Amino acid sequence: MTIALEKRGVSCVAELLDKDAPRTCEAVWTALPQGGDVYHAKYARNEVYAMVPRFAAEEPGQENPTVTPIPGDVVYFSFHGGMLDRRFKEERGIGDLPGVIDLAIFYGRNNLLLNGDVGWVPGNVYATIVDGLAPMAEACNDVWRSGSVGERLVYRRLQ
């Protein structure tokens, strides 16, 4: 699949990890394209993500989990509505959803999925970036430094 920061005109290619996360791969693949406003992580470090409405007929559950993603990891998080605080939901316009899916990419080292409010937040590693990580990492860092306003993170099937 391709993952793009549309406004910045940068994309990368990720290979699905069907053997390690088959349920998550199937759920994401079936639902593509997916995307939304991009956000840069506050706690996890070198992560950008988009929040999208739940799309799987049945949630895949935990598989191939990590709390220490590495550069190039593409990670799926499923958050029920009660896990997200009111202000976070209001800021992102997702207050009326029963839960959301967080589709994230990690572009640098030393990431730790630990949230001060809820503790460890494992995610399913379902793909790995195999082409274009360096320019994507540069663009992701620009999201951190310059801001995310008007930028979208979009996942599509590779044609």
Side-chain angles (χ1 to χ4, degrees):
M1 74 180 160
T2 63
I3 305 167
L5 286 168
E6 290 188 325
K7 182 177 169 184
R8 286 170 172 80
V10 176
S11 66
C12 59
V13 175
E15 179 180 313
L16 295 176
L17 302 174
D18 294 304
K19 291 181 180 176
D20 297 318
R23 296 184 312 272
T24 307
C25 288
E26 178 65 24
V28 172
W29 185 255
T30 301
L32 291 178
Q34 289 290 327
D37 293 340
V38 70
Y39 296 95
H40 197 286
K42 289 182 180 180
Y43 304 109
R45 199 160 171 160
N46 300 299
E47 172 195 7
V48 295
Y49 63 93
M51 296 281 205
V52 300
R54 291 178 181 244
F55 50 74
E58 186 176 322
E59 280 299 312
Q62 194 172 67
E63 60 179 357
N64 201 31
T66 190
V67 293
T68 56
I70 62 173
D73 277 352
V74 184
V75 183
Y76 172 103
F77 300 91
S78 178
F79 297 121
H80 59 80
M83 186 172 181
L84 306 171
D85 70 36
R86 178 190 53 81
R87 192 157 122 193
F88 180 89
K89 290 189 285 189
E90 288 173 357
E91 287 173 357
R92 286 158 177 79
I94 58 174
D96 59 334
L97 298 177
V100 295
I101 301 303
D102 173 334
L103 297 174
I105 63 172
F106 289 83
Y107 65 89
R109 297 179 42 187
N110 301 321
N111 303 294
L112 187 61
L113 302 179
L114 180 61
N115 179 301
D117 295 328
V118 297
W120 296 104
V121 184
N124 294 354
V125 180
Y126 71 95
T128 186
I129 297 172
V130 294
D131 186 40
L133 179 58
M136 180 59 83
E138 187 175 325
C140 290
N141 193 57
D142 188 58
V143 170
W144 171 252
R145 293 179 52 77
S146 301
S148 64
V149 175
E151 182 64 89
R152 289 179 45 81
L153 184 65
V154 179
Y155 297 71
R156 290 187 178 88
R157 291 182 180 192
L158 181 60
Q159 301 299 328

